[in-house]
Amino acid sequence: MVSYKAPLDDIRFCLYDLLGYDDRVTTLPGCEEATRDVVDAILEEGARFCENELLPLNQSGDSEGCHFDKGVVRTPKGFKEAYAAYRVAGWTGLAADPTYGGQGLPKTLEFLVQELICSTNMSFGMYPGLSHGAYNALETWGSDDLKARTLPHLADGRWAGTMCLTEPHCGTDLGLIHTRAEPLESQRYAITGQKIFISAGEHDLTENILHLVLARLPDAPSGTRGISLFLVPKFLLGESGDDLGQRNGVSCGSIEEKMGIKASSTCVMNFDGAEGYLVGEPHGGMKAMFTMMNAARLGVGIQGLGLAETAYQSAVAYARERRQGRSLAGPAEPQQKADPIIVHPDVRKNLMTMRALTEGSRALAIWVGMELDVAERHPDMARRQEADDFVALMTPVIKAFCTDHGFDAATRAQQIYGGHGYIKEQGIEQLVRDARITQIYEGTNGIQALDLVGRKLGQNMGRLLRRFFHPVHGFIEENQTDPALAIYVLPLAKAFSRLQQATAWVAQQGLRDPEEAGAAASDYLRLFAFVALAYVWARTAKLCLAKQEGDGGGFYRAKINTADFYMARILPESNALFQQIMAGKKPLMAMAADDF
């Protein structure tokens, strides 16, 4: 089994010391009671539940997988009991509105709990994760009647939710969907079509499943402008909302046999005149679905972060125990026949890379989570807009970079384990398999890069960019003359300058030739992420240097060492990315398709 202990010290450092949770979140309306004591208690209990209840089911759930029999899906042994305990403990309604039975806690806290879940059992986390997305979409776009009849059940976990977009002939290009919605009486619709790759589409954990389905009305215009969103329940909604009606015309045709997350049911869903309810406006389905999709993209980024943390902890534990060869500087433990492999520079390079990117990504993700709370709750509309802009800008970065890192961290851990990382017993090969899907679903990472370059950079004359560029510029200006910070601020300033130049180049060339923007997109997103993490690590180093005297446990010393490593060994990659961006599209697009 993999090694994992919830990184609560690092989480608390990011929350309270680095990002100012007390001033940023607990001052928001409705968050006054979410104090440090409350947050710490929830995190500790969440850590206990994940370590003791979910982690032991991870490897067995992967081995057993889900079972399919004539439309019925059963989750692996122990999952149903774990979900019941998860629900009774109130985790399903952590950030849900108290109006609907939720606890009304900050989204920031929900982010943190999601990381703990994904670190210990990503497959399990898929089920409540999809329900959170469905809750968000219905809360934002559903009618008052629909919200009253569904949200309390999603908040208490009795019902689950899904997101039904993909069809056999279309994935990213949703304008090609064929699923039909025929009007019935009483504002109901008959939904007919097939959806594939539907996570948690059918299972035995809840009484009902609410499918949010994209479909076309008879008068729909072509393309994405003609898509509407419908709620299609597995069991029809009763008159009061508390009782279940008859079985609806929706069924699971099969479940996929897939590379990873095998304890999460990935379903083919058939809709045969199933009764549905319009969510939002007719032909406004894409706008409504993006509420759910954007939340899901952030959630997938957290999945990558969680897997990276487990990969790192497991690799550290193995590197301390596994003995092979001698230190190049001479025997580190001469009384033993061999030294632990943690003495070897290449092993340390892998470990330090994993640590620097994981801790930096965590800080960045928590920052985004806090701004999500500000965007939803702050009384000043201008401040809310600033926060919303920042979240919109960073969503594709979090999704793509954190999931690329999650997969990379899993493969680095596998490399440290050597042959033992390739066999099933240790659990590392499962991390590799589970991490791979995070780079693909909810919009592939290439799509995230196109979203950043094609939509976010130019939006409102670059307004979104300013929400990130201004604080970075301000930090550099404030600290550039401090000699103690020179090894952090100078590399950050150089990388930030490259990002600014690349941004201007992509904007100019992209207006002239969209293929130029497309050719630069993935490299640009990665460059953006490297600069964002450099900013996080520079701030971290400044804070930790001031706290060294009281560093009894070495926490701040380790932070400073990790910041040093990031600036010296990872951030220089930003120069190569800059050169790749500036090379333009020609090296990519010159070859004829027939010559491949």
Side-chain angles (χ1 to χ4, degrees):
M1 184 186 292
V2 295
S3 300
Y4 178 77
K5 186 74 175 176
L8 298 186
D9 287 344
D10 192 55
I11 289 173
R12 292 188 184 105
F13 170 80
C14 292
L15 272 178
Y16 307 135
D17 299 331
L18 183 64
L19 297 171
Y21 173 87
D22 296 324
D23 294 331
R24 192 181 298 223
V25 178
T26 57
T27 56
L28 296 173
C31 294
E32 298 88 351
E33 295 183 6
T35 62
R36 287 194 187 196
D37 288 344
V38 171
V39 170
D40 287 345
I42 290 173
L43 289 176
E44 287 167 8
E45 181 58 26
R48 185 206 63 77
F49 182 85
C50 292
E51 292 166 7
N52 297 337
E53 304 296 331
L54 298 187
L55 185 60
L57 295 175
N58 192 41
Q59 203 165 8
S60 62
D62 176 71
S63 297
E64 181 182 350
C66 291
H67 305 273
F68 178 79
D69 182 22
K70 298 177 182 178
V72 175
V73 175
R74 297 191 311 279
T75 51
K77 182 180 179 181
F79 270 57
K80 195 169 184 178
E81 293 78 9
Y83 182 82
Y86 180 87
R87 176 181 167 246
V88 169
W91 298 113
T92 55
L94 198 67
D97 191 332
T99 303
Y100 304 110
Q103 299 176 49
L105 290 164
K107 291 289 179 64
T108 305
L109 189 52
E110 188 174 66
F111 264 43
L112 299 174
V113 173
Q114 283 178 5
E115 183 195 331
L116 305 183
I117 294 170
C118 295
S119 292
T120 51
N121 198 320
M122 181 175 154
S123 287
F124 179 91
M126 294 291 291
Y127 297 101
L130 269 295
S131 299
H132 293 157
Y135 178 97
N136 291 335
L138 289 168
E139 184 182 39
T140 303
W141 300 101
S143 66
D144 290 341
D145 177 65
L146 208 54
K147 288 191 285 189
R149 299 170 73 187
T150 59
L151 294 186
H153 302 310
L154 288 172
D156 73 6
R158 285 178 54 201
W159 295 0
T162 74
M163 180 167 58
C164 298
L165 287 74
T166 305
E167 298 183 5
H169 57 282
C170 68
T172 300
D173 190 355
L174 292 173
L176 300 176
I177 69 169
H178 292 164
T179 301
R180 308 187 313 275
E182 299 288 342
L184 303 172
E185 71 279 359
S186 303
Q187 298 183 325
R188 295 175 297 118
Y189 297 82
I191 312 299
T192 301
Q194 185 181 76
K195 301 289 184 177
I196 65 170
F197 302 156
I198 308 306
S199 298
E202 176 64 25
H203 54 79
D204 59 356
L205 302 182
T206 59
E207 298 174 4
N208 202 4
I209 302 174
L210 305 179
H211 303 286
L212 287 173
V213 184
L214 291 182
R216 292 188 180 281
L217 291 164
D219 60 345
S222 61
T224 56
R225 294 177 303 165
I227 296 175
S228 301
L229 180 64
F230 298 88
L231 169 65
V232 183
K234 176 180 175 179
F235 289 95
L236 295 177
L237 307 183
E239 291 299 323
S240 67
D242 291 329
D243 55 327
L244 294 177
Q246 64 184 12
R247 180 68 186 258
N248 203 359
V250 53
S251 61
C252 178
S254 63
I255 59 175
E256 303 293 350
E257 295 185 13
K258 52 192 189 292
M259 177 178 176
I261 54 169
K262 294 185 176 184
S264 168
S265 57
T266 303
C267 304
V268 173
M269 300 302 299
N270 298 315
F271 298 86
D272 301 308
E275 183 175 307
Y277 311 89
L278 183 66
V279 178
E281 297 295 323
H283 318 313
M286 286 302 294
K287 182 185 292 186
M289 183 57 80
F290 264 110
T291 299
M292 186 175 184
M293 188 181 295
N294 286 334
R297 286 175 173 175
L298 290 172
V300 172
I302 299 301
Q303 290 178 343
L305 172 60
L307 292 169
E309 178 64 38
T310 302
Y312 169 72
Q313 290 193 29
S314 300
V316 168
Y318 187 80
R320 287 171 172 164
E321 296 170 359
R322 177 70 166 170
R323 294 181 178 274
Q324 295 283 285
R326 288 297 189 186
S327 167
L328 298 177
E333 298 182 18
Q335 73 279 12
Q336 300 290 338
K337 293 182 178 180
D339 291 332
I341 63 173
I342 200 168
V343 303
H344 300 306
D346 190 65
V347 171
R348 283 174 164 258
K349 179 184 177 182
N350 280 321
L351 291 175
M352 289 299 296
T353 300
M354 295 160 71
R355 181 181 184 122
L357 294 180
T358 299
E359 293 184 2
S361 296
R362 176 178 294 115
L364 188 62
I366 294 174
W367 182 13
V368 173
M370 287 185 177
E371 290 298 282
L372 189 59
D373 282 315
V374 172
E376 292 185 357
R377 296 175 183 260
H378 203 284
D380 183 351
M381 286 300 297
R383 179 68 182 92
R384 290 175 67 174
Q385 185 64 64
E386 289 177 3
D388 190 66
D389 289 347
F390 180 76
V391 172
L393 175 69
M394 298 307 295
T395 293
V397 177
I398 292 292
K399 195 281 182 184
F401 185 79
C402 289
T403 58
D404 281 346
H405 169 52
F407 181 71
D408 180 67
T411 58
R412 286 179 185 272
Q414 192 173 47
Q415 192 70 20
I416 290 170
Y417 272 75
H420 291 284
Y422 196 70
I423 62 175
K424 190 169 185 177
E425 179 183 359
Q426 300 290 345
I428 298 300
E429 61 86 30
Q430 182 189 345
L431 294 181
V432 176
R433 290 186 289 103
D434 286 353
R436 190 63 184 91
I437 187 58
T438 65
Q439 299 169 290
I440 298 172
Y441 60 14
E442 303 306 338
T444 65
N445 288 356
I447 293 297
Q448 304 307 312
L450 288 174
D451 179 44
L452 178 64
V453 167
R455 296 180 64 244
K456 302 301 172 58
L457 294 195
Q459 191 169 325
N460 298 111
M461 302 297 291
R463 189 184 73 198
L464 273 62
L465 276 176
R466 293 194 289 274
R467 309 309 187 199
F468 174 71
F469 280 16
H470 285 180
V472 175
H473 176 76
F475 179 86
I476 293 170
E477 287 287 307
E478 179 185 344
N479 296 283
Q480 61 185 347
T481 59
D482 187 340
L485 297 178
I487 63 171
Y488 311 107
V489 176
L490 184 58
L492 169 61
K494 289 181 177 179
F496 183 50
S497 177
R498 295 186 195 108
L499 178 61
Q500 290 174 306
Q501 293 177 62
T503 301
W505 189 90
V506 169
Q508 293 168 3
Q509 298 299 319
L511 285 175
R512 180 183 61 82
D513 182 353
E515 283 190 340
E516 289 284 5
S522 291
D523 293 327
Y524 179 84
L525 185 147
R526 191 161 181 83
L527 172 60
F528 197 110
F530 278 144
V531 173
L533 264 64
Y535 171 60
V536 164
W537 275 117
R539 288 185 56 190
T540 297
K542 179 180 179 179
L543 186 61
C544 292
L545 285 168
K547 291 178 174 285
Q548 286 185 99
E549 291 185 5
D551 191 17
F555 179 88
Y556 299 118
R557 180 180 65 247
K559 280 288 185 184
I560 293 167
N561 288 337
T562 308
D564 293 349
F565 176 85
Y566 182 85
M567 295 298 179
R569 298 300 296 259
I570 296 179
L571 188 58
E573 292 182 38
S574 65
N575 188 46
L577 290 166
F578 177 73
Q579 296 297 329
Q580 290 166 213
I581 292 167
M582 302 303 286
K585 76 170 189 177
K586 185 177 179 180
L588 294 178
M589 306 305 294
M591 186 180 289
D594 290 342
D595 291 341
F596 278 90

